[in-house]
Each structure stands twice: as structure tokens, then as C-alpha cells.
Amino acid sequence: MAKYSTNRGGGGGDGDSCELCGRSTAKLRRANVAGADLLVCPDCAPHGENRHADRKSGSSGTSRDGTSGNRKKRAAQRTAKMYDSAKGDSKHWEEKGTNYEKDRLPYLVSGYGGVVESARQDAGLQLAELADELDLDEKQLLAIEQGRATRANVGGSAIRALEERLDVTLVDE
């Protein structure tokens, strides 16, 4: 008769019986079955929760792609790798984009996009005209008017130039 979660095997304590089915064998292995850590025979081993651990991670605890840790951590690492490869190299914005250490975007007033749009229209300027005058990309100016300055990677110098040209307050000090 099998003894469950005793880690001693069945019978008289000789430790050579499966704790799940009671079969006597010398090829016992440890398996976690329904939360209980048991010594089981090769036939009962597929019932254990760690039945794929030997195949996937090997003896070193690392998976095929060289990462270590649990399943959720490996999934997060794979997702990050896929995201990085889809986005490509970040050098494209580091070399020719805004230098955020030197040109940080300041805290902006609430509703800054509407303020810029109204002031531009009151000045009788088109979006393209103001962008050319301030030497800004038209997409950046549109993003500012739509309240997306942070996501559009707009620098603080663009905000200050708009404040000066349109005579508005955008920085929340």
C-alpha cells in the first residue's frame, strides 16, 4: 500500500516503493503531485507537476535560450527580447534626436495643448508656418497641440520657443 507524502516509500521503510501506486522499483524519482513531494516510479512520474523540468532546463537550471529562473520570468525576458528586436536599435534617436539630459521637457500646465492651438490660431498661423518659423518638425508641433509632448519626444527648448513666440505660459513652475 502506498504512503503519501512521507518520502519513505511503501512497505517496511526500505524506500524502494512508489508512493503513488505502491509498485516496488529501484528507479524512483521525486515528483510534486498535487502539492505533495513524493518518490514515484517512472510510470507515475508523468502525474507530477515538474514532469517537464528535466527536459527543458537540464541539470543547470537554465532553459534552452540560456535564461534562468521560473517560467514567468523567462516569459517576461522573451517578451522583452521580442519588443527590443521589433523596435530595432535605439541609436537612431540617441544620435540625432533630442538629448534629454540637456533638453529636458519641463512640467507643463494642464491643458497646454489647447493653449498652444488657440494662441497659434489667434496669431493667424498655420501649423506648418509656425513649425517652420520655430525650426520644429510639424509632427512635434501637432503632438504638442494634442497634449502628447512627452510621448512625441519633444524637448524643453521647443516648449520654451513656443512660449516666447506665442506669448503663452506652458511650463508649470
Side-chain angles (χ1 to χ4, degrees):
M1 174 150 247
K3 294 183 179 179
Y4 297 98
S5 68
T6 62
N7 293 333
R8 290 190 317 156
D14 54 2
D16 60 352
S17 296
C18 175
E19 293 184 23
L20 199 56
C21 70
R23 188 175 112 193
S24 292
T25 181
K27 297 182 179 182
L28 294 177
R29 58 177 80 154
R30 189 160 305 281
N32 189 327
V33 180
D37 199 26
L38 305 174
L39 288 174
V40 296
C41 65
D43 292 337
C44 294
H47 297 292
E49 293 170 0
N50 59 348
R51 61 184 174 264
H52 299 294
D54 295 337
R55 247 188 315 165
K56 285 186 181 175
S57 64
S59 59
S60 66
T62 58
S63 64
R64 288 178 289 195
D65 62 356
T67 58
S68 63
N70 63 23
R71 185 174 176 184
K72 288 182 182 180
K73 183 177 178 181
R74 286 192 315 266
Q77 289 170 338
R78 281 193 302 271
T79 302
K81 283 181 185 177
M82 287 186 339
Y83 179 79
D84 290 344
S85 65
K87 287 292 186 185
D89 190 16
S90 64
K91 298 262 188 248
H92 68 279
W93 61 266
E94 290 174 352
E95 293 172 1
K96 59 185 176 187
T98 304
N99 183 343
Y100 290 103
E101 293 304 313
K102 294 180 182 173
D103 193 19
R104 289 193 166 183
L105 183 65
Y107 290 107
L108 302 174
V109 297
S110 179
Y112 66 90
V115 171
V116 172
E117 185 176 14
S118 297
R120 177 184 57 81
Q121 290 172 349
D122 290 346
L125 295 169
Q126 294 294 319
L127 194 69
E129 293 173 333
L130 182 59
D132 287 341
E133 184 179 325
L134 298 176
D135 196 28
L136 291 175
D137 185 22
E138 195 172 332
K139 290 180 181 179
Q140 284 186 327
L141 186 54
L142 179 63
I144 293 169
E145 287 188 358
Q146 292 175 344
R148 301 181 295 111
T150 303
R151 287 178 273 160
N153 299 330
V154 175
S157 59
I159 298 298
R160 287 181 203 67
L162 280 169
E163 280 184 320
E164 190 174 313
R165 171 60 176 92
L166 298 175
D167 195 30
V168 293
T169 303
L170 302 175
V171 176
D172 186 20
E173 295 183 65

